Amino acid sequence: MTFLPQTALRICRENLFLRFCTVGASGLVVDSLVLSFMLWLGAGPFIGRVASIWAAMTSNWALNRSFTFRSQGKPWPEYCRFVAVNLLGAGINYGIYSLILLFLPILTPFGALLIATACAVAFNFAGSKRYAFSRD
């Protein structure tokens, strides 16, 4: 029975996209927690999401730097490149999130968040791999 978890861990360690998705899952937790906090403060789902995206983006940069890409690049230029790529991805994410909330009001902000995040993953991975974490 221990074969499956060890195999899954090995595959995750060896697969860049799976590591990226693992970090992304932690970013989704950060995103959700910050959005919950902002909603609790009364910020509303649109302003709250701006804050939650930024918090998740910063968390994801730090984890992708150390775990996914194991970068040795200069942190500040790398963070700026990561933010540039992820702002485009966040625009995709936020646009889809907003459209879902406006045109499918039956979905909660968290349902819209999940769908929008899934749509932006491929873009963020490609941009992070090719641009944000390229060697300085």
Side-chain angles (χ1 to χ4, degrees):
M1 283 308 233
T2 60
F3 173 75
L4 183 60
Q6 290 175 354
T7 301
L9 288 173
R10 181 182 53 78
I11 290 169
C12 186
R13 276 194 306 269
E14 294 172 1
N15 188 298
L16 194 64
F17 183 70
L18 288 178
R19 288 196 312 259
F20 185 82
C21 288
T22 301
V23 169
S26 74
L28 185 58
V29 171
V30 170
D31 199 337
S32 297
L33 290 172
V34 173
L35 179 58
S36 294
F37 181 67
M38 296 302 290
L39 292 173
W40 179 77
L41 289 176
F46 296 101
I47 297 297
R49 190 72 205 286
V50 170
S52 71
I53 284 172
W54 196 269
M57 190 183 321
T58 300
S59 169
N60 283 355
W61 168 75
L63 292 172
N64 275 317
R65 177 177 168 76
S66 62
F67 175 67
T68 305
F69 297 102
R70 297 180 177 108
S71 176
Q72 299 296 314
K74 295 176 185 171
W76 182 246
E78 184 180 87
Y79 178 73
C80 291
R81 289 191 306 266
F82 185 80
V83 167
V85 165
N86 282 268
L87 281 176
L88 290 172
I92 293 167
N93 188 319
Y94 190 79
I96 293 169
Y97 171 82
S98 297
L99 288 171
I100 290 169
L101 287 181
L102 292 171
F103 294 105
L104 295 171
I106 194 165
L107 283 177
T108 68
F110 297 102
L113 181 148
L114 288 173
I115 293 167
T117 299
C119 292
V121 167
F123 176 85
N124 285 340
F125 176 71
S128 292
K129 182 179 178 184
R130 295 173 198 240
Y131 180 69
F133 291 101
S134 61
R135 301 289 183 221
D136 292 321

